[in-house]
């Protein structure tokens, strides 16, 4: 027996082929060679096939005239446009429908996700049924349903169904008034932006002062109260005009409304604020309920509808009454009304001062078709609607999982510290839930964008339809077109994941 | 002894909760009317149901034309769903253009598949390994020859004639099953220390996951023939299968990677320290643990894939959705206001049943394996 | 009965401020019952805690100790009887619940710090948003209490970066920042390693020395012996026995108490 020194050179010798490093290299070389060979084979075959079909290749076609129509384009488009313009039209159409789908799916999805966790049995069940139904049916089938079974079976143009606000729906889509702002209206747009910024700055400033000193600054509190009264007056006035005008039509309802609204607004400044707010809530809730229920149950006597609406409004008024009675003193309340007034009031003021007009071009039925207005083609409506409904069910599940991922102990700790429900959600639960929700939410956004390619099946001219369908059949450059489409989608995906990586790195909870 | 001393003389027996906290009324109070806001929500929910459910029930059942009805009944203004239409076209929806006289062949395939699949899904039934081998290897071979024919005196039946639910099931089954080993290999490749293999796998996975399925299907159905040597023809169904499978494999790879990452390092080290070769380590130690973790993810992927098979319609394959749409558009003898809606409703119900049962099964397995998310 | 020999701190405990008020009632629980569904979890609880009292609740697992103290700040609601905290009776009225929760601090077994906020933010969150205390002042208070629990240097770290004992001390400081009159502890040390237990108990003892009214659910019998003026033994959702610690440990009366003590004291 010999004793061996422990050391590098004493390591047991391995045969050449069993050395893992060399083996690894051999594997990789083999794979690379096979792959390269395979690619050559494919390229060779393709070249031969193309030659046999007398087809050319290359990306030069992008600068050639496309010569086909696109039914719906945000960018200027004519038959004389180039292929690269077709690409842009496809991309913008995809982005348009994806953007609209994302906005609505997010709103719907969050609502349903929260509803799914509601302690109210009916609400939670309804949300669950929605989720389980929608996400277990293929999107394409849903699109077909909306497009072929719903929108395409709408009446012909001459029998269009009139919707509120001068809108119409028929086989050819939805016609809505088109806003036609004049020159001065530009100032109103500026005012809107400025008002938003100002409101944001004031809100942020108020919140900072609130943290620093413990209360909102006086400079904010009094204007806030005033703004609250003004907003109260306006809302009450509108609600009352509708209420009196529609439900109890009496001759002089406008001045009566103004007087009552003023009384409510003044009341909200006194110590009877709770009663004033309750009254306001009652008016608004009654009007809204009455309209909604009246629409839903048109076969029920309107008196009955009004009674039920009144009951609901009464209960809501009571809720608001007790909330208002228990609310913190005015220097501890966020001046929401002030911000609302700024955002709505400043542009309104500018609109009035500059004499701007925002006319609406109303769609009008002519002999065979609608003239004017904004015409949303049924393909677009069906795709946006279908994507929204479908993706919302996935977003809802994401939201539910995110909220549930926040430990119950967090709620209990916040409660035991005396945080009110609103503060608890805002400061403790939502920030933690959002960290869990946002990454899967983004991937749902990406999925929605990819799924918008199904629009091709119902004829919406999105990227795949324009550039994969029509362009290929017109130009014959299948490989080039597909490559471009894939690169575009890959870019969407890479951008999204870059943003996500950045976000994740930023919000990751610090652990040991 | 001080005044705070206290000893309970006799134990208090448990008694039922006061009526106000149990029973139907308390349940209603707690779940429907806990606060005034809750009461309003409940009222709205109830009103919504009142508004939505009766028309739905009317449409689907009460005013619907039953399976023995006629098209005239369906064309009546007030008629609901036209189930007679679905019933009369049922064979087309299930088998496509498959010869009427040969329907026993797909039927045997369906029956055999169910007979092999169901025991595999029930955890208690023994012989899992044999069962799986039969289902995954013997069954596909038998099914292929049965369906395609051309041997043992069976009438040849080209795949162009296959259609409807049959094709939907074939594509999803093949996609789900074949993408599984492919996905595992891709996942292992992505974890490999060999840069070439690693980059290849990453590139494939990320590219495929970044693009929509229809681009892949389009590539497979239009471009695959271009890639092949001149004169070769690739069966259309096969092209769709290739596309769907490759697509699904990339997703499976990511799911499996999640499972591999969930395994503690110690397991890898322990496996290596036993002196097992790479493949043996994976086969005996790592994969069995990893795959157990990922069953729910795999089933969710299967559900997604099952729904996605409907996209083959866009590249001209004849699946269930295509069958329904074709009949909706072309069955003039059944034209009525509700024909299309009824057709889609039927297709939706079929898809829903398959997906919903898969998701319930996944939840069941999750609970059984206890690997799911727990609070 | 075996003696409780273990002590928590070597030094003498300063009892000069530990005075139990004879007249001021901090918490009054009267004939209280609670059910979880049909399970009668708390039965006929009667407990009057005077200001300045330090009460330890012991009992086997599942006996309802946590449930009892969670009822006191209404993390759970009771179905029968009354709970009156600082003269406010707990009912469904949110205003009263808020009032009580502001006066009562609670420390949990698993700390429940807010992981997305720094230690300092954890401590100032409630003072700023509940009490409306200016930020600078809230931070000064927070630093004061962090010093009391001996970890001022951790102020800008996140909870995930601290050890269990440190986290629990932060949790105690977080409650103290609201300047509660009563502190509730639910097994504050049972998720900790032995050496961390001591650092948390030290903090609790110093609180007791300042005359804080506290109720602790704990299995630290040494703590009970040194600090508590009353030990309550619960089983099957009821108070079986209560006594001064000395008497409780040396001369338990009830069979169940004897059994329990013999099990935990070996
Ligand atoms: N939310 C709940 N729903 C139903 N039963 C519960 C709930 N919380 C606790 N229980 C039951 O109530 C009983 C008392 O629980 P509690 O947590 O108060 O016990 P404990 O004395 O604190 O026990 P431990 O020492 O283990 O913490 C237990 O039997 C428990 O199973
Ligand atoms: Mg407990």
């Amino acid at each position: 027996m010999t004793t061996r020194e422990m050391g590098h050179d004493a390591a047991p010798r391995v045969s050449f082929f069993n050395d893992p490093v060399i083996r690894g290299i051999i594997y990789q070389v083999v794979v690379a060679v096979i792959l390269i060979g395979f690619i050559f084979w494919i390229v060779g075959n393709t070249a031969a096939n193309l030659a046999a079909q007398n087809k050319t290749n290359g990306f030069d076609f992008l600068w050639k005239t496309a010569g086909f129509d696109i039914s719906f384009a945000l960018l200027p488009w004519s038959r004389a446009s180039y292929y690269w313009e077709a690409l842009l039209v496809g991309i913008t159409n995809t982005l348009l429908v994806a953007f609209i789908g994302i906005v609505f799916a997010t709103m719907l999805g969050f609502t349903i996700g929260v509803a799914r966790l509601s302690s109210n049995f009916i609400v939670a069940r309804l949300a669950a049924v929605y989720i389980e139904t929608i996400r277990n049916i293929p999107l394409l089938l849903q699109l077909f349903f909306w497009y072929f079974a719903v929108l395409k079976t709408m009446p012909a143009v001459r029998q269009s169904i009139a919707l509120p606000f001068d809108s119409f729906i028929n086989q050819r889509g939805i016609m809505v008034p088109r806003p036609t702002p004049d020159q001065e209206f530009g100032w109103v747009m500026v005012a809107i932006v400025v008002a938003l910024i100002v409101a944001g700055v004031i809100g942020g400033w108020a919140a900072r002062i609130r943290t620093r000193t413990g209360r909102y600054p006086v400079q904010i509190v009094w204007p806030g109260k005033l703004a609250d009264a003004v907003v109260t007056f306006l809302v009450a006035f509108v609600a009352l005009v509708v209420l009196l005008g529609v439900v109890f039509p009496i001759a002089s309802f406008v001045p009566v409304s103004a007087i009552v609204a003023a009384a409510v607004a003044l009341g909200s400044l006194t110590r009877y604020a709770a009663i004033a707010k309750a009254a306001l809530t009652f008016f608004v809730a009654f009007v809204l309920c009455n309209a909604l229920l009246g629409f839903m149950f048109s076969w029920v006597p309107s008196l009955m509808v009004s009674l039920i609406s009144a009951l609901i409004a009464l209960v809501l008024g009571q809720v608001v009454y007790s909330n208002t009675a228990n609310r913190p003193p005015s220097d501890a309340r966020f001046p929401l009304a002030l911000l609302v007034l700024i955002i709505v009031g400043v542009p309104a003021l500018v609109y009035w001062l500059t004499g701007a007009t925002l006319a609406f071009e109303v769609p009008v039925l002519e002999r065979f078709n609608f003239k004017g207005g904004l015409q949303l083609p049924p393909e677009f409506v069906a795709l946006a609607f279908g994507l929204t409904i479908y993706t919302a069910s996935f977003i809802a599940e994401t939201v539910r999982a995110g909220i549930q991922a926040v430990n119950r102990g967090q709620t209990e700790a916040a409660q035991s510290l005396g945080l009110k429900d609103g503060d608890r959600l805002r400061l403790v639960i939502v920030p933690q839930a959002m960290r869990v929700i946002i990454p899967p939410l983004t991937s749902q956004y990406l999925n929605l964008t990819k799924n918008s390619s199904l629009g091709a099946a119902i004829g919406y001219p999105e990227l795949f339809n324009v550039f994969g369908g029509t362009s290929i059949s017109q130009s014959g450059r299948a490989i080039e077109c597909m490559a471009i489409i894939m690169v575009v989608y890959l870019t969407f995906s890479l951008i999204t994941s870059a943003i996500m990586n950045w976000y994740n790195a930023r919000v990751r909870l610090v652990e040991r | 002894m001080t005044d705070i001393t206290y000893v309970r003389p006799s134990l208090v027996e448990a008694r039922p909760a006061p009526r106000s906290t149990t029973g139907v009324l308390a349940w209603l109070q707690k779940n429907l009317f806990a606060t005034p806001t809750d009461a309003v929500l409940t009222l709205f929910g109830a009103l919504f149901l009142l508004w939505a459910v009766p028309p739905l029930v009317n449409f689907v059942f009460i005013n619907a034309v039953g399976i023995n009805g006629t098209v005239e009944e369906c064309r009546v203004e007030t008629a609901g769903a036209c189930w007679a239409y679905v019933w009369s076209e049922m064979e087309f929806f299930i088998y496509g253009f498959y010869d009427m006289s040969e329907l026993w062949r797909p039927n045997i395939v369906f029956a055999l598949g169910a007979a092999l699949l169901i025991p595999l899904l029930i955890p208690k039934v023994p012989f899992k390994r044999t069962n799986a081998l039969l289902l995954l290897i013997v069954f596909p071979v038998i099914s292929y020859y049965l369906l395609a024919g051309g041997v043992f005196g069976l009438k040849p039946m080209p795949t162009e004639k296959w259609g409807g639910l049959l094709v939907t099931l074939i594509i999803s089954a093949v996609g789900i099953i074949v993408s599984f080993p492919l996905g595992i290999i891709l996942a292992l490749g992505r974890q490999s220390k060999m840069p070439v293999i690693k980059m290849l796998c990453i590139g494939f996975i990320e590219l495929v996951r970044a693009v929509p399925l229809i681009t892949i299907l389009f590539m497979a159905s239009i471009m695959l023939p271009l890639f092949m040597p001149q004169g070769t023809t690739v069966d259309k169904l096969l092209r769709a299968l290739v596309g769907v499978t490759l697509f699904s494999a990339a997703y499976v790879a990511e799911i499996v990677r999640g499972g591999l990452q969930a395994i503690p390092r110690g397991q890898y080290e322990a496996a290596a320290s036993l002196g097992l070769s790479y493949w043996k380590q994976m086969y005996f130690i790592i994969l069995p643990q990893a795959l157990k973790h990922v069953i729910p993810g795999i089933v969710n992927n299967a559900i997604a894939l099952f729904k996605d098979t409907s996209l083959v319609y866009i590249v001209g394959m004849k699946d269930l959705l295509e069958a329904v749409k074709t009949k909706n558009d072309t069955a003039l003898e059944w034209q009525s206001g509700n024909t299309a809606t009824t057709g889609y409703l039927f297709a939706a119900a079929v898809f829903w049943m398959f997906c919903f049962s898969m998701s319930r099964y996944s939840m069941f397995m999750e609970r059984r394996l206890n690997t799911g998310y727990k609070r | 009965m075996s003696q409780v020999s273990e002590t928590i701190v070597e030094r003498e405990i300063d009892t000069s401020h530990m005075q139990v008020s004879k007249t001021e009632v901090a918490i009054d629980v009267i004939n209280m019952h609670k059910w979880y569904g049909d399970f009668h979890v708390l039965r006929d609880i009667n407990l009057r805690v005077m200001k300045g009292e330090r009460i330890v609740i012991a009992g086997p697992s599942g006996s309802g100790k946590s449930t009892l103290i969670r009822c006191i700040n209404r993390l759970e609601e009771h179905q029968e009887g009354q709970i009156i905290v600082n003269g406010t009776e707990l009912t469904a009225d949110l205003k009263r619940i808020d009032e009580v929760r502001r006066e009562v601090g609670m420390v949990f077994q698993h700390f429940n710090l807010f992981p997305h906020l720094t230690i300092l933010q954890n401590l100032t969150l409630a003072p700023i948003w509940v009490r409306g205390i200016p930020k600078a002042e809230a931070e000064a208070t927070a630093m004061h209490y962090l010093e009391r629990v001996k970890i001022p240097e951790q102020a800008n770290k996140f909870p995930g970066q601290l050890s269990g004992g440190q986290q629990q001390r932060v949790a105690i400081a977080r409650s103290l920042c609201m300047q509660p009159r009563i502190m509730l502890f639910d097994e504050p040390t049972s998720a900790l390693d032995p050496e961390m237990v001591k650092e948390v108990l030290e903090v609790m003892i110093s609180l007791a020395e300042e005359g804080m009214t506290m109720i602790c659910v704990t299995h630290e019998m040494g703590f009970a012996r040194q600090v508590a003026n009353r030990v309550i033994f619960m089983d099957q959702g009821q108070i079986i026995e209560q006594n001064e610690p000395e008497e409780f440990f040396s001369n338990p009366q009830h069979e169940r108490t004897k059994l329990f003590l013999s099990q935990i004291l070996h």
Side-chain angles (χ1 to χ4, degrees), chain A residues 350-409:
Chain A
V350 172
Y351 182 80
W352 183 63
L353 285 180
T354 56
T357 49
L358 175 63
F360 282 94
E361 184 191 278
V362 176
V364 194
L365 182 60
E366 301 211 324
R367 257 171 98 89
F368 298 111
N369 208 344
F370 273 92
K371 249 291 191 291
L374 196 62
Q375 309 205 351
L376 301 174
E379 297 80 27
F380 174 79
V381 176
L383 183 59
F385 199 69
L387 284 173
T388 301
I389 300 264
Y390 185 72
T391 313
S393 72
F394 290 88
I395 292 181
E397 278 298 88
T398 308
V399 170
R400 180 187 63 84
I403 297 177
Q404 281 186 333
V406 181
N407 200 319
R408 250 205 85 73

Side-chain angles (χ1 to χ4, degrees), chain C residues 65-66 109 186-187 217:
Chain C
K65 309 177 296 285
S66 302
Q109 182 174 7
D186 188 3
E187 307 200 23
V217 174

Side-chain angles (χ1 to χ4, degrees), chain B residues 6 12 51 62 113 358:
Chain B
Y6 167 82
V12 183
W51 174 71
I62 298 179
M358 277 193 266

Side-chain angles (χ1 to χ4, degrees), chain A residues 28 45-46 49 52 120-121 132 135 140-141 144 148 296-297 312 319 390 404-405 450 453 464 482 490, chain B residues 31 38 42-43 47 51 194 196 209-210 214 218 226-230 251 307 310 313 325 352 375:
Chain A
Q28 298 188 60
N45 286 339
T46 312
N49 282 324
N120 186 302
F121 180 77
E132 290 298 342
R135 66 176 190 156
L140 188 61
L141 176 48
F144 281 174
F148 293 112
M296 280 166 65
F297 298 96
I312 292 175
V319 171
Y390 185 72
Q404 281 186 333
K450 285 192 280 172
S453 60
F464 182 81
M482 285 315 290
L490 194 60
Chain B
N31 290 294
D38 242 348
T42 302
L43 197 58
L47 286 172
W51 174 71
M194 302 180 229
V196 173
R209 279 160 40 89
I214 64 170
F218 194 83
L226 272 184
F227 295 158
M228 290 290 138
Q230 257 179 304
Y251 284 83
K307 286 185 292 173
S310 57
Y313 161 83
K325 180 165 184 326
W352 186 86
R375 282 218 291 150

Side-chain angles (χ1 to χ4, degrees), chain B residues 157-175:
Chain B
M157 200 62 64
T159 56
E160 282 75 39
K161 286 194 168 186
W162 306 6
L165 183 61
L166 178 65
V167 165
T168 296
L169 288 177
I170 289 175
I171 295 180
S172 39
V174 172

Side-chain angles (χ1 to χ4, degrees), chain C residues 201-249:
Chain C
L201 289 180
E202 290 255 20
V203 171
M204 291 169 61
I205 290 170
S206 70
L207 268 182
E209 285 174 333
E210 286 171 15
M212 174 69 81
T213 310
M214 45 206 268
I215 302 182
C216 308
V217 174
T218 181
H219 296 302
E220 298 293 334
M221 290 306 149
F223 175 80
R225 215 181 138 79
Q226 276 193 297
V227 180
N229 68 312
R230 177 146 58 127
V231 179
I232 290 177
F233 175 72
M234 286 184 70
D235 192 12
Q236 291 189 6
Q238 41 208 309
I239 295 178
I240 301 286
E241 181 167 351
Q242 65 173 5
N243 214 331
E244 288 174 344
E246 204 64 40
E247 279 288 301
F248 180 83
F249 289 113

Side-chain angles (χ1 to χ4, degrees), chain C residues 144-152 169-170 172-173 176 203:
Chain C
H144 167 74
Y145 283 111
L146 277 182
E147 265 152 38
R148 282 235 10 217
V149 302
K150 303 202 177 63
I151 36 176
R169 283 184 280 160
V170 171
I172 296 176
L176 293 177
V203 171

